[in-house]
Amino acid sequence: MVALSRTSRHNRYVATSSQSAPFAHGALVLITLNSPREKFWGAVLEINPAGISVRGVGLNSFDEITAMLRNEEHVMPATVFFPLNRMERMELDVSSGPIPSLAERFQSKSGLSAAHFFGVEAEDRD
């Protein structure tokens, strides 16, 4: 059960503002999938009961894509749908202390922001 407000008896610390939706449209995430096991990095387009739509790249091609972008080659992220039964885990792409996020690594290697590359840069996110 999700708390409806901060004053609810249960889940007192669950925020109800738009900032409490960490996986909102445009959020940069790392998705771990099963059958077959793979990792996908990208921007959330939509989450619904059937699954998640994401625009991004397979993590195994991260270095190749950044090198292609650095060399000014044409590269496009994939827009894909993953059914929930394939999803093992989804986590926000954020830095952890001295360890940079994938988005930070992407920008330093390619010279482009991840949000720009995935086409979610100009969209209004709360």
Side-chain angles (χ1 to χ4, degrees):
M1 182 170 156
V2 176
L4 298 176
S5 72
R6 289 182 189 248
T7 59
S8 295
R9 217 169 50 124
H10 301 288
N11 296 330
R12 291 181 298 185
Y13 301 105
V14 175
T16 58
S17 71
S18 61
Q19 293 175 336
S20 69
F23 298 106
H25 183 276
L28 298 178
V29 296
L30 178 62
I31 300 172
T32 303
L33 303 157
N34 56 38
S35 300
R37 183 151 172 91
E38 62 182 309
K39 290 190 176 189
F40 195 85
W41 174 64
V44 172
L45 299 177
E46 180 183 13
I47 299 175
N48 62 49
I52 182 170
S53 297
V54 184
R55 184 174 301 126
V57 297
L59 196 56
N60 59 350
S61 61
F62 181 87
D63 290 326
E64 181 180 344
I65 288 172
T66 57
M68 291 174 72
L69 288 168
R70 189 176 49 247
N71 293 330
E72 298 180 4
E73 295 180 39
H74 184 70
V75 181
M76 294 291 295
T79 301
V80 296
F81 174 82
F82 296 118
L84 284 183
N85 65 347
R86 261 204 85 203
M87 289 187 56
E88 184 175 306
R89 175 184 171 132
M90 180 170 66
E91 58 189 284
L92 287 176
D93 178 24
V94 295
S95 58
S96 177
I99 302 170
S101 67
L102 286 170
E104 292 167 339
R105 288 179 48 206
F106 182 84
Q107 184 155 6
S108 70
K109 289 182 171 202
S110 71
L112 292 174
S113 77
H116 177 76
F117 180 64
F118 295 138
V120 295
E121 178 178 57
E123 298 175 12
D124 186 28
R125 286 180 275 156
D126 292 324

